[in-house]
Amino acid sequence: MNTLEIVVWAVMLGGLLTIGTMAVVDVVVSKSFTAWRNLVFMGVTGFSCVLLSGLPEDLFPGLPLVPVLILKASLGPLSGAMVLTYLGQWLGVSVEDRLVHHTIVLGSVMLVCAAVGITVLCTLFADTQSDEILLLAASVNALSVLLATLTAARAAQLGDKLARTMVVGCLFLAISMAGLYTHQLDHGNGNLSTWIVTSMATVLFYLVMVSLGISRNREIRRLEHLAGLSQGMDPATGLPRGSLLLSKVDDAFWRSARLNTTCTVICLHLRNLYALSEEAGHGVEQQILASMAARIRRAVGFRCVVGLYHPRCFVVVLSAAKANKSGMSLGERLCILMSQPLQVLGQQEGMHIFTPQFSSGTVTVTAASAIPVQVIDEAEQQALASEREQRGGPDTANSPPAMR
């Protein structure tokens, strides 16, 4: 292997390692089984490509012939089986198309059996039939790439937008495999342009696969988050509501009583939540609630219970770690902090200034047997009473039409 060829394959290896760090970061961030599966897939297929480049044999001339040939010939079909299985799970197309489902299942089994058979042939005939074995492995690998391309194309036809990019990735894979196996079979006698195109196609395939894997994992995490919201989390703020909020408040009461201390509940009532509905359009309330939730979290931290009792009433529970005096001062400070103006985006893409108007009520409990809904109701009534004192009468002007 001449110097230019070594440089080309070394650059390819560096590109694969660089892109592989993206998959490692995804594993660290998401800590999900899907991310680990993507990393294993990238590792196996990447190792197969590096072996087929011949770089390890040139850098380490003493490598044994039979094990290296086994890895070169068998990792290709195994990678093809992983590609099919990965595509079936990642795209979900096998659920919608029985033909593709059978293609994936039978194709994966066939490729694994072919890898086992090639391993046996390498063990028996590595010294005399190495080129023929590699040619057989190339044929099997070409079939796996074809099946993967057809699967991705079928998924794109069924409406999966990411599958369109996967088809392009499969084409890069086809160019990569053709160039790498040709390089092995002609014993490195190809020209420089062929090596460059092959290495570029390999790197581009891995870039596409890692990018798509990260995008799909983010989509799965978003769907899991939305599924969790339906079980008691408010979709606009991410705060607990309903029975989930009541259970968290009850837990805070229990912890405080166990430590023989009190627990303070603060209700913050946003009386003008719907003031911009006619001017900015319906839906602007979601932006306001999200901003208010962020302000509360920033003010009280993550150790306190924060929830949404209803769209105009935020609940803050100070557990046993907080003193009673801090409850009242924090309620006043929260009203001041959350009353700062903010900008919201209307339906017509126009910016509007919204100035929240808050009132607060505070209730302190000392027993674990306190009923959360009653305590919250009492704190809310105090907030409403404070609001009436500020406004000089009941608040109806800013209620939504359905509540008037």
Side-chain angles (χ1 to χ4, degrees):
M1 186 181 296
N2 58 46
T3 304
L4 287 178
E5 187 176 359
I6 292 177
V7 171
V8 170
W9 300 128
V11 170
M12 183 191 77
L13 175 60
L16 296 183
L17 292 176
T18 303
I19 297 172
T21 57
M22 298 170 59
V24 174
V25 171
D26 188 39
V27 169
V28 174
V29 172
S30 65
K31 299 178 182 179
S32 64
F33 173 76
T34 304
W36 275 105
R37 185 180 62 195
N38 294 347
L39 180 61
V40 172
F41 165 74
M42 300 303 293
V44 173
T45 51
F47 185 56
S48 174
C49 292
V50 172
L51 279 177
L52 289 174
S53 70
L55 186 62
E57 296 171 90
D58 191 74
L59 297 178
F60 306 100
L63 292 176
L65 173 63
V66 176
V68 171
L69 182 61
I70 291 175
L71 291 175
K72 284 183 181 180
S74 62
L75 283 182
L78 285 177
S79 299
M82 292 181 66
V83 168
L84 284 179
T85 304
Y86 174 77
L87 283 176
Q89 297 174 350
W90 186 76
L91 298 172
V93 68
S94 60
V95 180
E96 304 176 17
D97 196 309
R98 292 176 59 87
L99 177 61
V100 174
H101 171 72
H102 292 308
T103 301
I104 291 174
V105 174
L106 295 178
S108 300
V109 173
M110 181 188 65
L111 289 172
V112 172
C113 293
V116 174
I118 290 174
T119 300
V120 174
L121 292 176
C122 290
T123 305
L124 298 176
F125 307 105
D127 296 330
T128 58
Q129 306 291 331
S130 60
D131 288 349
E132 288 78 3
I133 293 174
L134 285 175
L135 182 61
L136 175 62
S139 302
V140 174
N141 211 56
L143 177 61
S144 68
V145 174
L146 176 62
L147 293 177
T149 305
L150 293 176
T151 301
R154 180 57 176 166
Q157 184 182 8
L158 293 175
D160 193 325
K161 295 181 180 180
L162 292 182
R164 302 170 186 174
T165 310
M166 180 64 76
V167 174
V168 178
C170 290
L171 295 179
F172 285 135
L173 177 62
I175 296 173
S176 172
M177 290 295 101
L180 289 172
Y181 276 108
T182 300
H183 170 71
Q184 280 293 310
L185 291 172
D186 67 7
H187 303 287
N189 294 322
N191 54 48
L192 180 62
S193 60
T194 302
W195 303 333
I196 294 176
V197 170
T198 301
S199 62
M200 288 181 59
T202 304
V203 173
L204 289 174
F205 166 71
Y206 275 87
L207 182 61
V208 169
M209 292 298 294
V210 171
S211 301
L212 289 179
I214 293 175
S215 299
R216 182 67 80 181
N217 289 341
R218 288 177 179 173
E219 179 68 15
I220 292 174
R221 290 196 295 271
R222 186 184 70 85
L223 294 176
E224 290 176 348
H225 176 66
L226 291 177
L229 292 178
S230 64
Q231 301 175 8
M233 304 294 285
D234 180 71
T237 63
L239 298 178
R241 62 183 181 184
S243 60
L244 180 59
L245 171 61
L246 296 179
S247 66
K248 288 181 177 293
V249 175
D250 191 44
D251 290 342
F253 290 172
W254 179 83
R255 289 194 301 269
S256 298
R258 188 178 181 185
L259 296 175
N260 296 319
T261 185
T262 59
C263 192
T264 302
V265 177
I266 303 173
C267 280
L268 300 168
H269 192 265
L270 178 60
R271 60 174 176 265
N272 65 333
L273 173 62
Y274 301 98
L276 290 179
S277 296
E278 295 183 1
E279 180 182 354
H282 294 289
V284 71
E285 300 87 4
Q286 308 300 314
Q287 300 179 47
I288 296 172
L289 290 176
S291 298
M292 295 299 101
R295 288 182 178 183
I296 294 177
R297 271 300 182 199
R298 185 175 181 180
V300 303
F302 291 90
R303 296 183 61 184
C304 301
V305 175
V306 179
L308 193 65
Y309 193 43
H310 58 74
R312 293 200 293 179
C313 184
F314 290 90
V315 176
V316 179
V317 182
L318 307 180
S319 60
K322 302 289 183 179
N324 289 343
K325 292 191 244 184
S326 68
M328 185 63 69
S329 62
L330 180 58
E332 296 171 355
R333 184 160 61 90
L334 284 175
C335 285
I336 297 174
L337 174 64
M338 297 181 65
S339 297
Q340 299 300 316
L342 68 129
Q343 288 187 335
V344 294
L345 181 64
Q347 288 184 344
Q348 303 301 324
E349 302 297 327
M351 300 303 298
H352 302 267
I353 302 298
F354 176 76
T355 303
Q357 298 175 7
F358 276 97
S359 59
S360 66
T362 303
V363 175
T364 300
V365 297
T366 57
S369 59
I371 301 176
V373 66
Q374 294 181 356
V375 176
I376 295 175
D377 284 339
E378 183 180 351
E380 184 183 16
Q381 290 304 314
Q382 291 185 17
L384 293 174
S386 174
E387 179 180 315
R388 285 192 292 269
E389 292 177 2
Q390 296 173 11
R391 296 175 57 88
D395 174 29
T396 58
N398 293 317
S399 299
M403 298 177 61
R404 292 181 184 175

